[in-house]
Amino acid sequence: MSTTHSPSIVSKPSWRRYMTRFGLAMAAYLAVLVPVDYAAHHAMLPGKPWLYLVAALPAIPVAAVVLIVLKYLQDEEDEYQRMLNIRAYVAATGLTLTVCTGWGFLQDFAGLPQVSLTHVFMLFCVCQGLTTGWTRLRNRG
Amino acid sequence: MKNRLRVLRAERDWSQADLAGRLDVSRQSVNAIETGKYDPSLPLAFRIARLFGLPIEAIFEDG
């Protein structure tokens, strides 16, 4: 009997590239968010129309994360792993939509406090972590 | 879709990890195909057939 190495998902080039890019995008998110938040709290933001651009800057790394996820799903060589990841992302998107819409209704009809939409991205990241873990747990074997 | 992957693998005394390595997929993928949880795409089915030197219909069975 001969033994052949079975590639683990974490050792795959596509996964390593994804994790590196994701890490860089998250670092960029913090690198942009922290100074913009500091400027906002110290009345250092520029006037309009530049204000719009500076205030929206943290959304650029968020868009990058979406593109990085799409690129990873396109590059993943293992079709079964790709299917599991797509399931996890769809479930995370659904969970995020449900929580946000549910919170919106609770705000409108039950007087719950208003929450900034800037938290949606972090909520999605948490949901994605949960759904990925859940998907892997259900399909382990 | 039913398949004879487990039998063919056992005949060659390969573990799931061995087969996964030969197909360049994860062991979980082989397990999911063997247990019928996942039907492989046509390109992967062809790779499996080539590896065992059999036609696709000798490995996979509709229904």
Side-chain angles (χ1 to χ4, degrees), chain A residues 37-135:
Chain A
D37 188 58
Y38 180 86
H41 285 92
H42 291 82
M44 291 164 66
L45 287 174
K48 292 170 188 172
W50 291 106
L51 175 64
Y52 296 120
L53 181 69
V54 173
L57 271 181
I60 294 174
V62 173
V65 167
V66 176
L67 294 176
I68 288 164
V69 168
L70 289 174
K71 178 75 179 141
Y72 163 67
L73 293 174
Q74 190 183 327
D75 290 352
E76 174 56 64
E77 304 92 342
D78 189 323
E79 60 184 53
Y80 177 65
Q81 298 295 340
R82 185 168 58 235
M83 185 204 68
L84 291 185
N85 283 318
I86 288 172
R87 265 191 204 169
Y89 286 120
V90 171
T93 305
L95 193 56
T96 306
L97 286 173
T98 305
V99 171
C100 289
T101 309
W103 190 271
F105 284 126
L106 287 167
Q107 254 178 223
D108 289 352
F109 304 133
L112 256 66
Q114 192 167 2
V115 176
S116 169
L117 287 174
T118 56
H119 298 305
V120 172
F121 176 58
M122 277 301 149
L123 173 66
F124 175 78
C125 290
V126 171
C127 289
Q128 196 255 318
L130 291 174
T131 56
T132 299
W134 183 69
T135 306

